[in-house]
Amino acid sequence: MVDFIKEDVIYDLLQKAQKCEAGEVREIIAKAMECKGLDLSEVAKLLYVEREDLLEELLDAAKFIKNKVYGKRVVLFAPLYTSNECTNNCLYCGFRRDNKELHRKTLSTREIVSEAKAIEAQGHKRILLICGEDPGKTHVDHMVEAMEAIYKSADIRRINVEAAPMKVEDYKKLKDAGIGTYVIFQETYNREVYKKMHPVGLKADFDWRITAIDRAFEAGIDDVGVGALLGLYDYRFEVLGLLMHVQSFEKRFGVGPHTISVPRLRPALGWGLNEIPNEVNDQDFKKIVAIYRMAIPYTGIILSTRERAEFRDELLSIGVSQISAGSKTNPGGYKEDDDKADQFEVSDHRSLPKMLETICDKGYIPSFCTACYRRCRTGEAFMEYAKGAEIHSFCQPNAILTFKENLMDFGTEVLKEKGNGIIHKALTEIEDLKIREMTEEKLKEIENGKRDLYF
Ligand code: SAM
Ligand code: SF4
C-alpha cells in the first residue's frame, strides 16, 4: 500500500488549524504574496477562513499572485470525448457501467478527426482527449491512433490526454505520439470514500490510480495535471490530500504539476447517487481556487464548463488560468448533440467567440498558445521559467500572436474590435522593448497571412 497520503497527518493539521487567529491568517496571506508557495499547515489554516473581511483579503492575495505569475492571459481549450464506454462503475459518473440509459459510443479514428476539425473550426488549437476506461475499446492504441491522426489532419497544436491509469510502456506510447499534458484526477484522497465511490472494475484500486503520475514521469511525460472531484468528501481534506500528493511526486521527480483542475460534482443522467455527498458552495469553491493559487503559484488552474457562466467569469481573476469553452461531453457531440450520451450536464453553454468577447470585456487576453511544449519548455524547464516569473516574456507575446491569428481567421466584427483593442494594450505591457518590437514584427507577418508564429 502506498503511503503518499497520510490521513492521520491531514486530520491532525485540520484539527490544529481551527484555532488559528486573524493575525496569523494575515501573516500567511502576506507570505503567500511572495509567490513562493505555502506549506500544508498554512494551507490548513487558510481553509478554515470564514470571516468575510479575511476572505476578501485571501481572494485579493490570489488575484495579486495570478496577475504577477500569469498576467492577464487566459488559455483556452476544448475537450474531445472519444468514447463513453466504461467498465468501471464510479457512482457519480454518467458513463458508469450500470447506467443502462446512456447511449454508448466509441468513435472511430475517422470520427475523432472529424470532431477535432469541428473543434478547430470554432477557433481552438488545443484539445483534451477524454474517454471512459474499457480495456477492449479505449486502450492506449485507440488514443495514440487518434492523436497521430489529429496532428496529421487538423491544425490542432497541442493534445492533452485525460485517461485511466496505464503501464509505463503505454505512457511511452502517448509520449511518442506527442502528448502535451497527461491529466488524471484522483477523485478523492480519502481511501474509504474512494472505495465506496468505485465499487468495481480497474478503478477500484486506489494505489494503481495514485501512482499513475509516477509511471507517466517514468515514461518521460513531464507535464502532468491533477485534481480532486469536489463534492465527494470534505473539501478541506481533499485540498490537503492533493497537495500532499503533489509534494510526494515533486520530491521524487523534481517536478510539480503543470495544472490543477477543480472539477465540481454535477448531477449526471443515470448516476448512482441520490445527491451530492458533500456539496461545495460557491464561496468555498472560490476559496479553494484562491488557496491552490497561493499554495502552488506556478501551476495552471483549469476550470471547465461544469461551472455557470457568470461564476466562471468571476473566477478568472481569482486564479484560474485555463478554461474550456464551447464544450460537449458526449462522443461525437461537436457534430451531433445527444443529451443521452453526456458525461454530466454542462452549465456554461457559451460558444468560443462569445467566451472570447467576455474575456476581452473583462480586460484579459485570450491565449491559444501551444509554444512551451513545442519549444521543450516542459517539466523542470517550464517550472524554472514559471517560478522565476520569466514565463511572462514568452507568454504575453505568444498570447498576443495566437489571439491575433484567431481574430484574423475566425473573428466576428465585434470580436475583432474588442480583440484588437486588448492586443494593443497587451503590447504596451511588454516591458522588454526588444521583445515588444519582435512581437510587433510578427503581428505584421500574421496580418500578411503567416501562421503559427511564437517565441
Ligand atoms: N475515465 C477516465 C477516468 O476516470 O480517469 C477519464 C476521465 S473521466 C471521463 C473525467 C472526469 O470527470 C473524472 O475523472 C471525474 O473527476 C469527472 N466526473 C465524473 N463524473 C462527474 C460528474 N457527475 N460531475 C462532474 N465531474 C465528473
Ligand atoms: Fe468511467 Fe471515468 Fe466515468 Fe469512472 S469517471 S465511470 S472511469 S468514465
Side-chain angles (χ1 to χ4, degrees), residues 51-61 63 286:
R51 243 175 63 179
E52 235 166 74
D53 56 336
L54 288 179
L55 262 181
E56 275 309 308
E57 287 173 42
L58 195 149
L59 298 182
D60 283 347
K63 280 181 201 169
K286 272 199 270 184

Side-chain angles (χ1 to χ4, degrees), residues 20 51 154 169 177 204 238 259 275 298 350 363 368 396 412-413 418 420 430 446:
C20 184
R51 243 175 63 179
E169 64 241 47
E238 301 294 16
T259 55
E275 55 180 11
Y298 53 88
R350 283 174 294 183
F368 293 90
Q396 180 89 344
T412 58
E413 283 315 308
K418 291 182 185 200
N420 284 324
I430 301 177
I446 291 173

